[in-house]
Amino acid sequence: GMRDRIVAAGDERPNLLEASVLSLSDDLLRSAQEGRGDWIDLILECACKLGAKAPVYAALVGLVNGELPDYGKRFVHAAHARLEAATAGDDFVQQKVLLRVAAELANGGLLYMSGLVGLLMDFAEVASNDKAHRLKRDYAALTVMSTLPWCSERVGEEKRDELEDLYSLLKEYMKARPSSKDLLGASLPALSTW
């Protein structure tokens, strides 16, 4: 059924991927238009649990949004709500994956690039805040740095100055962060033997 097709989206061989995603987007569009469900929660759940397929799910949402303009907006709102919950609950893995999803949504024009940059800046500011807990700072920096490969080309094209500001915040974080040797101390030799 539809659920299985959504979960399996992106698993196809490369030569079948485009046709499969287009067919699925047509079926999702019909389902939403006929009131049989929009499947947004499942698509978002899949994007979060299968993060490597975030580009496929973002493309799927974008295709449906092309015919049903409110669809992308509802998906972005659902993703934002989930990101807020992940942030409140210190679920760092979900935060990282949701920022990756946001990057793909911005690449596809479903999220304004300024919205994505704002999210990245919020995380970078946590990373450079010396009053924040070390673990939270480290994860915030990791989240930003792991998101940039998914979007830095588009951000650089559209928001060059903001990207430079983001890099500056990350540089501040890196300069202020103690070295691994200082953090691990006497444990480092034991860990290096593994």
Side-chain angles (χ1 to χ4, degrees):
M2 183 76 81
R3 183 187 188 291
D4 293 337
R5 290 177 62 206
I6 291 169
V7 171
D11 291 344
E12 302 84 0
R13 288 180 291 163
N15 61 330
L16 302 175
L17 179 62
E18 183 178 351
S20 177
V21 170
L22 287 170
S23 172
L24 180 55
S25 71
D26 289 342
D27 292 343
L28 283 169
L29 176 62
R30 264 192 303 284
S31 178
Q33 288 174 329
E34 295 171 1
R36 292 183 286 126
D38 62 15
W39 301 93
I40 286 174
D41 290 335
L42 179 62
I43 295 169
L44 188 54
E45 184 72 19
C46 289
C48 288
K49 290 191 174 180
L50 307 167
K53 296 194 316 183
V56 173
Y57 291 115
L60 189 60
V61 171
L63 288 166
V64 175
N65 189 68
E67 298 295 323
L68 192 64
D70 188 47
Y71 195 82
K73 183 178 182 181
R74 288 184 293 155
F75 189 87
V76 167
H77 285 295
H80 186 261
R82 191 175 277 224
L83 180 60
E84 283 183 342
T87 302
D90 286 336
D91 186 340
F92 301 116
V93 173
Q94 281 291 292
Q95 291 172 34
K96 186 175 100 169
V97 174
L98 284 162
L99 272 185
R100 182 182 301 166
V101 169
E104 289 299 341
L105 292 171
N107 286 336
L110 296 167
L111 175 66
Y112 289 119
M113 200 56 70
S114 57
L116 174 63
V117 170
L119 286 172
L120 293 171
M121 288 298 286
D122 289 346
F123 277 83
E125 286 170 3
V126 170
S128 62
N129 178 355
D130 59 358
K131 291 178 178 61
H133 187 277
R134 164 73 45 214
L135 185 61
K136 190 171 254 184
R137 293 177 68 196
D138 288 347
Y139 273 113
L142 173 66
T143 299
V144 173
M145 289 187 269
S146 66
T147 303
L148 287 174
W150 296 81
C151 63
S152 62
E153 184 175 346
R154 288 284 309 275
V155 172
E157 290 170 359
E158 297 181 30
K159 299 287 181 186
R160 184 84 187 148
D161 292 341
E162 290 88 342
L163 184 61
E164 292 301 325
D165 292 344
L166 187 60
Y167 287 148
S168 294
L169 284 172
L170 291 172
K171 285 178 191 173
E172 285 176 34
Y173 159 78
M174 293 301 290
K175 284 180 186 174
R177 187 178 190 282
S179 70
S180 296
K181 183 178 180 181
D182 293 338
L183 287 172
L184 297 173
S187 325
L188 196 57
L191 292 172
S192 65
T193 61
W194 288 3

